[in-house]
Amino acid sequence: MNPQTKHKLATAVTAAVRLGGLAALTASLAARAEDLTATEAIEEISVVGTHIKGLDLKGAVQAIQIDRRAIEESGADSLIDLMRDISVTGGGGGTFSTSTAGALSSDTPVGAAGVSLRGLGTSSTLTLINGRRASVSSFARGQESFIDVNSIPLAAIERVEILPGGASATYGADAVAGVVNYVLRDDYEGSEFSINYGNSSAGSDEGRQNINWVWGKNTERTHTMVVVDYFDRNALFDRDRAVSRNSVRPSQQGFYPSFNDLFRMPLDQTEEPQNGGCPTADFGSARLGEFCLVNTNAFVSTVDDYESLGAVGTFNLRLSDKTTWFNELMYQNTESRGTSSPANFSRTPVAPENPNFPASFRADLVAEAGHDDFSDFDGFPIFMWGKYIEPRAVAVDTQTMRLVSGFETEIKGWSFETAVTYGRSESEQRGLSGLVVTENFYNANLGNLCSDGTTVERWTLDLNRPTATFNGGPTCEDLGKTTLWYNPFGGQTTQAEGIDDFIRTTARREGESQLWSFDAIASGDLFPIGGNYAKAAVGIEYRHEEVEDIPAGIAIADTLNPEPILGFSSTSSDAERDQWAAFVELHLPLADNIEVQLAGRFDDYEDFGSDFNPKVAFRYAPVEAVALRGNWSTSFRAPSLAQAGAGTLLGSYTVDCEETPEACGGDNTANGEPLFSEELGNRDLEPEEAESWGFGLLLTPTEDIEVSIDYWNIRHEDLVGIDEDNFIDRALNGEFTVAEVGLLPTGVPGVEVDGDGFVVDAHFQLTNLGWQETDGVDIAYTHYFDATGYGDFTLLFDATYVNEFDRRASDTADIDSRAGAFRYPRWLANAKLRWRLQDWRASLSANYTHSYRDDPPNRILDTLGIPRGTEVTVSSWTLWNMNLSYEFDDHNYLQLNVDNLFDREPPRVLGSSANVDHINHDSLGRFISLRYTYSF
């Protein structure tokens, strides 16, 4: 054990002592099992964590199980809603849902969701369906591949198994943070119809409908099951809730743009209220001059409008007493829509002869420039900064299909299983509003765009800077056509007929991912040892994966046109790979109370080489009521296909002058420049590596009480990603190109710096960064008790305490301590009390999110009058949920769910433009749903 690891362990133990033991250092073994006995609950969990069939681990591995009853009881209407309530999936930006989706390149794909463990990201969490891999989403999250859990119908899930620790030697080299396995229903017999409707108690309509049908039939040799699931959800917008309705600092680029000739005019000019321009409440002035505010929160969707139709079918044929042919087929179609804020346009050249200039505004520009007449501007562009009047909105249609077919048999006491898997995901994205073709927009402001869509070159346009030079070429009228002028005045509400046809685009984007795989596993007894039998599992796996993400040509940036669509871009990717693996796992019962697990896995990637990852685990029970367990393993994660095949992605970033004062002329108190940046792929990426270890204590003082405490530590090195401030710092120190404004070619990593020493543009490149390390303690408590005459009760409690989450982007960077910082609460906890009496069931639960440091930019602090450097804290948050159900008879079942029972508003978060941290909090409010189920 290296000195740093020993220090981590010592820190954890010391903290436990200081905080008073178990109650202070808690974490998450979310014991959401059926009302079983303690022994039965542990045996259920034992199915995850090993490939050895029939092995009862009895708590040898830390694991979480969410069974069918817990799924129904949760009131969740999608898998991501279910998973967000688990403490090990919280914190950071890893687990994401449609509340973080939108039309911007920095948003997550509309309609998609992904699960992360320990805050390490979806690419570090291995997602399985029935123990086998699934195809990744056809649209990446930025430049990170992930499994879209929205492609799995919730009605088809029997249980969810989570292994929240390194599992690379057992399940795959990329299981850095652990494994999430979704187990499909396959043994249902009969027919069941269920309908659910829910809505918030607010005045807005966030209605959700879910209808599903389950049918299963057994014959002497076969079992067939079909699940059909339909789900529809209305959108929730930031404007629908008081906490997120208004931007703390509205955008100063408005629908009434600001103008400056960048030559004679010292300050920007905007159409003023007294002249019928910007509304009085939105008009203002600052260092650069006048502006007209826009509340961008009035447009953004918090939760996507979403509709899905899915089906799952299973068919098992018993060929003999020992051999079964099994088959799984899953299909899901989703349609969703996401809306983001309107796009900014900056430094857009406008011809002085644009006939839409209001007379009063001409006079303002003349006065500011010190001209005698407006004609003095002739021959030179006047530049404008503003916001296009429509929000950016996109629709995404996705079809996901998965087929598994295989055999399982038994030969001389050994179990054999082999299967082939095919998975496919296809998505199409199309713009619905607010996507503006930059070149056509500029030409329409210069008088170069004609009514038939052709252009003249009265002005020569330079898209890279941008600027325009007057050359006196022919007008559209000179060619017998009509000029289509864009009208940026009067709030942009009045435009020439037909102009939208030429400046707007749908920017269609198409993505496809495919997976082919084959696996074979054998498990059985090896030899007697310690009065028992040593057991083993061996297996091989081969898979071929492809990802192709093709944005419309109009959305692809190049050197001459770095922003082809105003404030919009799409990820591009094109990659494929073959990979094969072989693994072995041993279970050695050295004595009745001591068992050891040894595992090793060899993975070979055709593009990133090979690696071997071992695992060692043990369980020791000195007495019947006490068991100790521990584990150590390594991991190897090749860059995802989206990272390996990444193209150029347009993005945005605001320089943090406190973090990198060199990017702000050396002034760490200045406001950094908001950048229209690029994110570039890198063909020279190296794999990530990780080491994880932990130990735990299990207590069963009585048959009705279970307690588990687990310490975990994960160190993750050579991270693939982008750290913007670190990249800027490295560029300014000579590692990447530093160029003057407008001279850094598209696709070249580096920065542009203006004459005052401010970074005004950056081309970030995916690189192997430094390391991150996180550790903490998980605890779970389950107590079953019978109140005679008043029913059966179960008390469940789980929590996660993050001791440290440190990240260092490079050897020259400072260590970024994230535990307790923005979006990384140290504590996440859940408590639930269940009750059952005859045909009645009920539960009351609480979800707790601890406070953490906010991360407001200086602009926000200045707006609120808060001194810079003040530490702002996000308040803790507790939600109460209630469930009540009644079983009328064997056929009729009614269930009522109330989420956020007391309608608690989420705490205000200044580091988020929505004023809400949608990763850790929820602005939906009280949500009431009623489900009726009929079985026949």
Side-chain angles (χ1 to χ4, degrees):
M1 190 179 296
N2 62 49
Q4 191 170 21
T5 300
K6 290 180 179 178
H7 171 70
K8 296 286 185 182
L9 177 57
T11 301
V13 173
T14 302
V17 174
R18 289 178 177 175
L19 292 175
L22 304 183
L25 279 181
T26 65
S28 64
L29 181 68
R32 299 174 180 267
E34 188 84 40
D35 286 337
L36 306 173
T37 67
T39 302
E40 289 171 331
I42 294 175
E43 288 176 354
E44 278 290 316
I45 290 175
S46 71
V47 295
V48 67
T50 180
H51 284 297
I52 301 175
K53 289 198 172 184
L55 180 63
D56 184 0
L57 295 182
K58 293 183 179 178
V61 296
Q62 183 189 2
I64 299 166
Q65 176 175 277
I66 310 171
D67 71 350
R68 186 67 206 167
R69 180 199 164 181
I71 293 171
E72 294 172 349
E73 186 181 86
S74 71
D77 48 37
S78 66
L79 265 178
I80 193 62
D81 287 339
L82 177 72
M83 299 301 289
R84 289 180 68 186
D85 286 341
I86 304 171
S87 54
V88 294
T89 65
T95 296
F96 63 89
S97 69
T98 57
S99 62
T100 61
L104 310 187
S105 57
S106 56
D107 295 330
T108 58
V110 169
V115 174
S116 161
L117 298 174
R118 307 294 191 199
L120 294 176
T122 56
S123 61
S124 297
T125 300
L126 179 57
T127 299
L128 305 174
I129 301 175
N130 278 358
R132 291 182 169 86
R133 292 177 182 259
S135 55
V136 299
S137 170
S138 45
F139 287 163
R141 182 195 189 195
Q143 291 170 326
E144 181 183 28
S145 297
F146 65 96
I147 304 297
D148 180 11
V149 298
N150 280 349
S151 66
I152 309 171
L154 182 61
I157 301 299
E158 176 64 28
R159 66 181 182 274
V160 181
E161 301 170 339
I162 303 173
L163 201 64
S168 296
T170 309
Y171 291 104
D174 48 350
V176 175
V179 174
V180 180
N181 182 34
Y182 301 101
V183 180
L184 303 179
R185 302 169 74 173
D186 68 351
D187 59 354
Y188 182 82
E189 185 169 12
S191 190
E192 178 184 282
F193 175 80
S194 181
I195 183 169
N196 180 67
Y197 176 78
N199 210 331
S200 71
S201 59
S204 50
D205 182 9
E206 288 83 39
R208 301 179 181 184
Q209 304 87 36
N210 179 223
I211 301 172
N212 58 71
W213 173 65
V214 183
W215 173 85
K217 183 175 178 59
N218 279 318
T219 69
E220 184 178 350
R221 298 176 58 195
T222 68
H223 178 268
T224 307
M225 190 199 70
V226 177
V227 179
V228 179
D229 182 86
Y230 171 79
F231 176 65
D232 179 68
R233 177 186 65 204
N234 293 340
L236 168 69
F237 289 85
D238 285 351
R239 61 176 179 264
D240 294 331
R241 296 294 181 266
V243 67
S244 56
R245 185 169 298 144
N246 298 305
S247 304
V248 173
R249 185 180 186 274
S251 172
Q252 293 184 4
Q253 287 189 236
F255 299 140
Y256 290 84
S258 301
F259 290 79
N260 196 308
D261 71 347
L262 299 181
F263 179 59
R264 294 286 298 271
M265 294 175 60
L267 295 174
D268 296 347
Q269 295 294 299
T270 301
E271 293 177 82
E272 298 179 353
Q274 63 268 27
N275 295 321
C278 177
T280 302
D282 298 329
F283 184 76
S285 62
R287 178 175 60 90
L288 297 177
E290 298 173 346
F291 55 80
C292 188
L293 297 174
V294 170
N295 173 29
T296 55
N297 288 23
F299 304 93
V300 179
S301 58
T302 311
V303 176
D304 296 346
D305 183 273
Y306 180 87
E307 184 178 18
S308 67
L309 177 63
V312 173
T314 64
F315 175 74
N316 297 333
L317 172 62
R318 188 161 52 85
L319 301 175
S320 70
D321 291 341
K322 295 184 178 181
T323 303
T324 300
W325 177 39
F326 61 89
N327 299 272
E328 305 163 14
L329 176 63
M330 182 166 64
Y331 173 82
Q332 179 94 333
N333 181 83
T334 64
E335 298 178 5
S336 53
R337 171 176 175 158
T339 306
S340 300
S341 61
N344 290 340
F345 49 81
S346 300
R347 196 187 163 96
T348 298
V350 180
E353 61 262 34
N354 188 319
N356 296 297
F357 270 100
S360 59
F361 192 55
R362 289 174 182 241
D364 290 344
L365 296 176
V366 168
E368 182 65 24
H371 287 318
D372 296 325
D373 186 78
F374 192 73
S375 62
D376 292 339
F377 286 106
D378 289 351
F380 300 95
I382 302 174
F383 299 93
M384 68 175 178
W385 287 257
K387 194 178 301 293
Y388 189 67
I389 196 169
E390 290 182 343
R392 288 162 287 184
V394 298
V396 175
D397 296 341
T398 299
Q399 294 82 40
T400 305
M401 190 271 284
R402 170 184 168 87
L403 174 64
V404 179
S405 183
F407 295 89
E408 55 183 357
T409 188
E410 184 179 328
I411 302 175
K412 295 184 178 180
W414 275 64
S415 296
F416 295 85
E417 183 174 317
T418 183
V420 293
T421 301
Y422 174 71
R424 183 184 184 93
S425 175
E426 292 183 272
S427 298
E428 180 185 69
Q429 175 180 286
R430 61 189 184 282
L432 300 176
S433 69
L435 305 189
V436 179
V437 180
T438 304
E439 184 173 7
N440 291 353
F441 180 71
Y442 288 175
N443 279 324
N445 279 283
L446 291 168
N448 284 348
L449 182 64
C450 300
S451 55
D452 62 354
T454 61
T455 57
V456 296
E457 199 171 339
R458 187 165 177 81
W459 293 77
T460 300
L461 179 61
D462 180 358
L463 291 167
N464 192 45
R465 185 151 174 81
T467 189
T469 304
F470 182 72
N471 60 30
T475 65
C476 296
E477 284 71 17
D478 292 336
L479 302 178
K481 305 175 184 179
T482 302
T483 302
L484 277 182
W485 287 99
Y486 186 78
N487 181 8
F489 306 102
Q492 306 176 63
T493 57
T494 304
Q495 299 298 337
E497 184 178 354
I499 195 167
D500 281 353
D501 296 337
F502 301 116
I503 68 170
R504 290 171 54 174
T505 178
T506 59
R508 287 183 179 268
R509 171 188 175 192
E510 296 181 347
E512 179 181 311
S513 75
Q514 295 189 82
L515 165 74
W516 293 266
S517 71
F518 167 79
D519 62 77
I521 302 171
S523 69
D525 294 342
L526 284 179
F527 49 81
I529 181 175
N532 295 288
Y533 268 88
K535 297 178 181 291
V538 295
I540 59 171
E541 178 187 2
Y542 164 81
R543 70 178 184 269
H544 174 83
E545 295 178 282
E546 297 179 2
V547 167
E548 188 176 44
D549 190 349
I550 305 175
I554 191 63
I556 300 176
D558 58 37
T559 302
L560 299 178
N561 190 1
E563 189 188 3
I565 299 176
L566 292 176
F568 179 85
S569 181
S570 296
T571 303
S572 64
S573 182
D574 186 5
E576 62 179 284
R577 70 162 57 114
D578 291 313
Q579 184 266 341
W580 69 270
F583 67 86
V584 61
E585 180 185 344
L586 298 175
H587 176 259
L588 304 175
L590 303 181
D592 288 341
N593 61 349
I594 302 175
E595 57 188 65
V596 174
Q597 297 177 55
L598 303 175
R601 183 181 178 98
F602 178 84
D603 288 85
D604 181 79
Y605 294 81
E606 67 168 338
D607 48 355
F608 286 98
S610 57
D611 195 57
F612 176 78
N613 291 282
K615 177 180 180 179
V616 179
F618 75 90
R619 180 181 183 274
Y620 170 56
V623 295
E624 185 176 354
V626 178
L628 304 174
R629 63 188 177 196
N631 65 85
W632 171 87
S633 62
T634 65
S635 300
F636 169 95
R637 192 191 79 83
S640 66
L641 289 178
Q643 293 169 334
T648 298
L649 174 67
L650 298 184
S652 60
Y653 184 71
T654 299
V655 175
D656 186 340
C657 295
E658 186 175 356
E659 180 77 18
T660 52
E662 298 83 1
C664 306
D667 184 2
N668 64 356
T669 66
N671 287 324
E673 292 292 324
L675 313 176
F676 285 117
S677 59
E678 295 180 6
E679 295 183 8
L680 312 177
N682 184 352
R683 297 289 180 177
D684 296 323
L685 293 173
E686 297 292 330
E688 302 174 351
E689 296 184 351
E691 179 184 19
S692 64
W693 63 276
F695 60 88
L697 173 67
L698 289 85
L699 304 174
T700 53
T702 72
E703 291 184 352
D704 299 324
I705 296 176
E706 305 168 22
V707 181
S708 64
I709 311 143
D710 287 276
Y711 171 81
W712 44 269
N713 180 293
I714 302 173
R715 183 177 176 87
H716 198 182
E717 299 181 340
D718 295 325
L719 307 175
V720 174
I722 293 173
D723 187 300
E724 290 87 353
D725 289 304
N726 180 256
F727 179 91
I728 292 172
D729 181 68
R730 291 164 62 188
L732 295 175
N733 282 283
E735 289 191 45
F736 302 100
T737 302
V738 177
E740 296 179 9
V741 177
L743 298 183
L744 182 64
T746 291
V748 174
V751 297
E752 293 181 0
V753 181
D754 66 13
D756 296 324
F758 278 73
V759 172
V760 296
D761 195 7
H763 298 179
F764 303 112
Q765 186 179 44
L766 277 172
T767 57
N768 286 99
L769 304 172
W771 53 265
Q772 62 185 5
E773 184 169 4
T774 181
D775 74 320
V777 179
D778 295 344
I779 189 172
Y781 176 84
T782 303
H783 191 171
Y784 306 89
F785 50 96
D786 178 13
T788 304
Y790 296 95
D792 298 324
F793 290 84
T794 305
L795 177 63
L796 303 159
F797 174 79
D798 70 90
T800 292
Y801 175 80
V802 179
N803 182 48
E804 290 186 359
F805 197 120
D806 292 344
R807 182 183 175 99
R808 190 177 188 186
S810 70
D811 292 339
T812 61
D814 295 330
I815 295 178
D816 178 14
S817 296
R818 298 187 175 186
F822 183 60
R823 283 187 172 159
Y824 287 84
R826 287 189 182 272
W827 289 90
L828 292 170
N830 304 294
K832 175 177 288 190
L833 180 63
R834 282 177 171 165
W835 167 76
R836 179 173 184 174
L837 177 63
Q838 297 178 354
D839 297 323
W840 288 94
R841 290 185 179 183
S843 69
L844 181 66
S845 63
N847 299 330
Y848 173 78
T849 303
H850 195 52
S851 61
Y852 56 87
R853 294 192 304 276
D854 206 341
D855 187 29
N858 287 332
R859 289 181 172 89
I860 297 296
L861 294 176
D862 294 344
T863 300
L864 297 175
I866 300 174
R868 294 188 178 188
T870 300
E871 184 172 298
V872 182
T873 301
V874 177
S875 302
S876 61
W877 195 49
T878 303
L879 283 187
W880 290 88
N881 306 312
M882 185 270 288
N883 169 272
L884 177 65
S885 63
Y886 180 72
E887 189 173 344
F888 294 92
D889 51 41
D890 292 340
H891 304 290
N892 296 277
Y893 179 78
L894 190 66
Q895 176 178 299
L896 172 69
N897 276 87
V898 183
D899 294 333
N900 196 351
L901 183 63
F902 302 110
D903 201 20
R904 284 285 311 277
E905 187 177 84
R908 186 175 72 165
V909 180
L910 301 180
S912 167
S913 60
N915 311 333
V916 177
D917 175 4
H918 289 303
I919 299 295
N920 292 294
H921 306 133
D922 184 2
S923 61
L924 181 60
R926 183 189 294 116
F927 190 86
I928 305 170
S929 61
L930 187 66
R931 177 179 294 276
Y932 170 71
T933 301
Y934 179 71
S935 301
F936 52 94

